[in-house]
Amino acid sequence: MKRASPPNFDQLAFKKALGQFATGVTVITTRTDSGQLIGITASSFNSVSLAPPLVLWSLATRSASMSAFQANSHYVVNVLAASQLDLCKRFATVKGDRFEGVSHAAGDSGMPVLDGALAWFECHNRSRYEEGDHVIFVGEVERCGIREDAAEIAPLVFQNGQFHGLKPL
Ligand SMILES: Cc1cc2nc3c(=O)[nH]c(=O)nc-3n(C[C@H](O)[C@H](O)[C@H](O)COP(=O)(O)O)c2cc1C
């Protein structure tokens, strides 16, 4: 196979092009053995496989949460509603306890499920792949659920650096 040519764009142009792809927004949560709750905002979530049920997301190598997500056997992908923009910002920026004042309940694996999430996927930390400046996490979904009123709730959407709700065309 032929090798890749060097990029013909700079990093800013790459980010701008990637940013045109609209995504949902998730908060990925886990709990360390010592009981510390960890959470991070991530828009890199996507589906992988139906059978077995697999999902993926990626985490920056420099992330302070990397060691927890590398070591823990389980995590939860919480899909945010548009009304949860505050949680999106909180789990992307706060340096201290990101769970302070955030209502949540423990899933069967003991990992935190955020109240009001549009959907949640409780995952076994199946595999990890180091690529460039990120690690790709593949999770095997053990349980999932949606908000009872999910059909009437707008998801949080991220595109071109801005947040949106979503209306059907
Ligand atoms: C909308 C949005 C999407 C994000 N998606 C990701 C992502 O997919 N992967 C990632 O590593 N960081 C992502 N981030 C950045 C992290 O949430 C942010 O760097 C976080 O503070 C890292 O926390 P930590 O260093 O404590 O682990 C995103 C931030 C925002 C606002």
Side-chain angles (χ1 to χ4, degrees):
M1 201 197 289
K2 266 176 105 177
R3 289 183 178 222
S5 323
N8 73 341
F9 49 82
D10 63 19
Q11 220 175 73
L12 201 66
F14 187 42
K15 279 174 107 170
K16 190 86 184 156
L18 287 174
Q20 302 313 307
F21 183 60
T23 66
V25 182
T26 70
V27 171
I28 317 231
T29 53
T30 193
R31 184 180 185 275
T32 65
D33 285 345
S34 61
Q36 193 194 354
L37 299 179
I38 307 279
I40 177 181
T41 298
S43 56
S44 52
F45 170 72
N46 221 320
S47 53
V48 174
S49 159
L50 281 179
L54 303 179
V55 296
L56 67 74
W57 59 287
S58 64
L59 183 62
T61 314
R62 60 162 194 277
S63 162
S65 315
M66 181 59 82
S67 55
F69 283 113
Q70 289 273 14
N72 286 10
S73 66
H74 288 80
Y75 50 78
V76 177
V77 179
N78 299 271
V79 177
L80 297 186
S83 58
Q84 294 178 305
L85 178 59
D86 55 333
L87 290 186
C88 161
K89 292 182 174 169
R90 182 173 183 85
F91 282 93
T93 56
V94 168
K95 292 282 172 245
D97 178 9
R98 290 180 174 170
F99 284 80
E100 199 186 324
V102 175
S103 43
H104 59 89
D108 285 1
S109 62
M111 303 296 129
V113 179
L114 302 184
D115 289 357
L118 207 47
W120 52 268
F121 301 87
E122 206 170 352
C123 300
H124 178 249
N125 192 351
R126 177 179 166 117
S127 56
R128 293 148 300 282
Y129 305 89
E130 285 180 32
E131 281 295 350
D133 54 13
H134 277 63
V135 175
I136 301 162
F137 285 78
V138 175
E140 182 162 351
V141 181
E142 294 181 343
R143 285 164 291 278
C144 67
I146 61 173
R147 241 172 96 150
E148 251 177 48
D149 56 355
E152 290 108 59
I153 301 290
L156 183 59
V157 175
F158 187 56
Q159 196 254 357
N160 197 20
Q162 287 190 306
F163 296 101
H164 306 263
L166 188 66
K167 289 197 183 86
L169 287 174

